[in-house]
Amino acid sequence: MATATPSRTAADLAERCARSAAVTEAGSWLRTAEVPGWMAERHASHRFAVRRIPFAALTGWSFAPGTGNLRHDSGRFFTVEGLEVSVGTGPFPRWQQPIIKQPEVGILGILAKEFDGVLHFLMQAKMEPGNRNLLQLSPTVQATRSNYTKVHRGADVRYLDHFLRPAPGSVVADVLQSEHGSWFFRKSNRNMIVETRDEVPVAEDFCWLTLGQIGRLLRRDNVVNMDARSVLACVPTGGAPGSGTPYGDTDLLSWFTAERSRHTVSAERIPLAAVAGWRRGPHTIERPDGRYFRVVAVAVEAGSREVTGWSQPLIEPCGLGVTAFLTRRVQGVPQVLVHARVEGGFLDTVELGPTVQCVPGNHAALPPGDRPPFLDTVLTAGPGRIRYAAVHSEEGGRFLNAESRYLLVEAADDMPEELPPGYRWVTPGMLGALVRHGHYLNVQARSLLSLLTTGAAALQD
């Protein structure tokens, strides 16, 4: 039976997490410099292979008669359907596109435990078919309901009971968060951090790391996966959320509510076969102009997964994304510039996103006034203004080679105080308070926030 963790205050949790973030070079298990070698060893110990195949070669998947929706024969996992979106304003007020419909709520859970007085987090070297380098550090548990109820007839998900039946007083964070609103229709996952005092057998593809060690690894390209970054954004931090700003939490929430209210967004599912401006071939569903993304099919071999072989559709974006916060300091207090962003797949109209979130090539032909605000500011920033830069993968279980360059960029001294509609300066503390509630911060903003909660980046010298 699990042992309950004593009751803890928010300040106590934040202080313990801060101590863990300060331990950067060596925890109680591995030195940080040893982790890439350990991951390479785990990669070499299993058979991994991903190859593109035609849709006709998918096993257990087919296009439904009539709708053309791409679905699994079990009726589980997910479907690729069509979506028609109307936002009423901007250079693209209305469009149609394929989208993933996955109604199940998955679990993204990281198990925490104290060793030698320092919190460590149990991370998994997990293969995802869409990751360019296949193997990345993921949460302790990363599983859809179909996975952990074994629709695929695979092995049990390790450590799952810690999250399905957490001991009293053991939950550090537990919140439903959205996934990519441009590619998923109203998809949510349960993001959890659970602390245990029990003895935990460490399986061969798992290791304990401090927050600071994970932060150091976040400085490397494609090491820590998107699901882990999303959960790590929920790590408790200290400090008053609104300190250093001329407005408090109520003002921010009022502004955000007004942003949700001022947008009229219609997002209706339609048959995949009816999506205008897209064409289906033997290997891809794509736009003739080659923009945005395509739907492809792959066959997968993965010796370390609950199921060692399968095939599935994936969404493949057309180009490297740019995801960035502009930053500044007011009276010594750091702030980041957020955007109340509309995406067709969001559950509730808008969520707070980064200052810039796009694939620049998709906007190259637009006139300057229609390009995303601050995109050129970020792309032309000199090295002295870039406080953080690394390439990270997006969700590797559903997206193929989906990568973005994540940036924290200091705003120029002459940046105008007046902002475009939908943009606002907030403190990291405010984001830390909001992320403990569902559907306020989108997944890209959570990825950027995880850089601060782990100490991968600092906004103060």
Side-chain angles (χ1 to χ4, degrees):
M1 180 179 294
T3 303
T5 301
S7 177
R8 303 148 302 177
T9 66
D12 173 58
L13 274 174
E15 193 275 330
R16 294 170 67 218
C17 289
R19 285 206 311 268
S20 182
V23 178
T24 60
E25 302 304 326
S28 297
W29 290 77
L30 288 173
R31 295 188 61 81
T32 309
E34 296 170 342
V35 175
W38 174 78
M39 293 182 68
E41 175 192 332
R42 300 319 309 152
H43 193 292
S45 67
H46 300 288
R47 164 73 176 167
F48 295 130
V50 178
R51 58 186 176 86
R52 297 172 187 260
I53 58 174
F55 292 123
L58 284 166
T59 300
W61 294 83
S62 60
F63 290 99
T67 65
N69 292 345
L70 187 51
R71 64 184 185 182
H72 193 262
D73 294 346
S74 68
R76 302 291 293 274
F77 300 109
F78 63 93
T79 56
V80 181
E81 306 180 3
L83 188 72
E84 182 171 13
V85 183
S86 174
V87 296
T89 61
F92 306 108
R94 190 181 189 89
W95 71 89
Q96 295 180 354
Q97 65 168 92
I99 199 154
I100 294 174
K101 177 71 167 67
Q102 185 174 342
E104 338 180 295
V105 174
I107 292 177
L108 308 178
I110 297 181
L111 193 62
K113 183 175 170 63
E114 202 168 87
F115 296 96
D116 301 322
V118 177
L119 274 177
H120 287 61
F121 298 80
L122 188 60
M123 306 300 290
Q124 178 183 181
K126 187 178 180 72
M127 181 271 192
E128 292 289 341
N131 291 337
R132 196 177 295 277
N133 59 347
L134 295 182
L135 198 76
Q136 297 186 15
L137 285 177
S138 80
T140 317
V141 168
Q142 178 183 319
T144 65
R145 182 177 293 274
S146 291
N147 289 146
Y148 65 75
T149 57
K150 298 198 283 189
V151 171
H152 51 36
R153 299 182 177 87
D156 291 336
V157 176
R158 295 182 186 272
Y159 309 109
L160 180 64
D161 277 354
H162 289 280
F163 303 95
L164 289 182
R165 287 171 284 277
S170 67
V171 175
V172 176
D174 190 355
V175 59
L176 286 179
Q177 299 286 12
S178 64
E179 291 221 20
H180 294 75
S182 295
W183 299 330
F184 277 114
F185 184 72
R186 298 178 182 174
K187 174 74 172 70
S188 296
N189 277 323
R190 190 177 177 188
N191 286 228
M192 303 181 70
I193 302 173
V194 173
E195 184 180 358
T196 182
R197 302 180 74 189
D198 295 338
E199 292 300 317
V200 179
V202 179
E204 60 184 5
D205 290 319
F206 294 77
C207 69
W208 292 101
L209 298 172
T210 68
L211 269 183
Q213 289 183 287
I214 299 169
R216 285 292 186 266
L217 295 166
L218 274 166
R219 297 180 180 182
R220 296 171 174 253
D221 292 350
N222 286 328
V223 173
V224 181
N225 82 353
M226 184 215 78
D227 298 296
R229 300 193 306 269
S230 178
V231 178
L232 291 165
C234 302
V235 166
T237 57
S243 59
T245 66
Y247 44 80
D249 291 350
T250 301
D251 286 325
L252 175 61
L253 290 172
S254 177
W255 170 81
F256 183 63
T257 302
E259 285 298 312
R260 279 187 166 168
S261 300
R262 79 179 177 90
H263 290 281
T264 301
V265 178
S266 170
E268 301 293 336
R269 293 156 57 200
I270 61 174
L272 182 59
V275 173
W278 295 72
R279 62 189 180 192
R280 184 179 120 194
H283 291 81
T284 63
I285 301 170
E286 61 186 345
R287 287 171 55 98
D289 60 11
R291 290 198 298 167
Y292 302 115
F293 64 89
R294 60 183 70 91
V295 181
V296 300
V298 298
V300 183
E301 295 177 55
S304 63
R305 293 289 296 263
E306 294 86 8
V307 173
T308 57
W310 70 92
S311 61
Q312 68 171 92
L314 291 171
I315 279 180
E316 182 179 31
C318 301
L320 178 70
V322 171
T323 302
F325 271 146
L326 283 179
T327 75
R328 71 177 187 181
R329 277 161 288 184
V330 176
Q331 298 178 350
V333 176
Q335 298 178 357
V336 298
L337 185 60
V338 297
H339 177 206
R341 180 179 173 85
V342 175
E343 295 183 18
F346 281 157
L347 181 64
D348 195 357
T349 314
V350 304
E351 295 188 12
L352 294 181
T355 318
V356 172
Q357 176 193 318
C358 70
V359 174
N362 291 334
H363 305 273
L366 295 177
D370 287 338
R371 286 166 61 81
F374 307 108
L375 174 60
D376 295 328
T377 301
V378 166
L379 294 180
T380 59
R385 288 173 45 211
I386 297 176
R387 301 191 70 92
Y388 174 92
V391 173
H392 293 304
S393 295
E394 304 302 332
E395 214 283 328
R398 298 292 179 264
F399 312 141
L400 180 63
N401 300 329
E403 296 174 305
S404 293
R405 188 170 184 240
Y406 278 81
L407 297 159
L408 297 172
V409 179
E410 285 190 0
D413 292 337
D414 59 354
M415 181 173 169
E417 280 294 318
E418 186 174 351
L419 299 173
Y423 289 82
R424 188 174 180 108
W425 290 104
V426 302
T427 67
M430 285 179 164
L431 296 186
L434 290 177
V435 80
R436 299 182 70 79
H437 304 276
H439 302 285
Y440 278 95
L441 270 64
N442 77 356
V443 68
Q444 290 88 349
R446 297 197 304 274
S447 277
L448 287 168
L449 182 60
S450 75
L451 306 178
L452 306 180
T453 61
T454 61
L459 300 183
Q460 291 176 299
D461 297 323

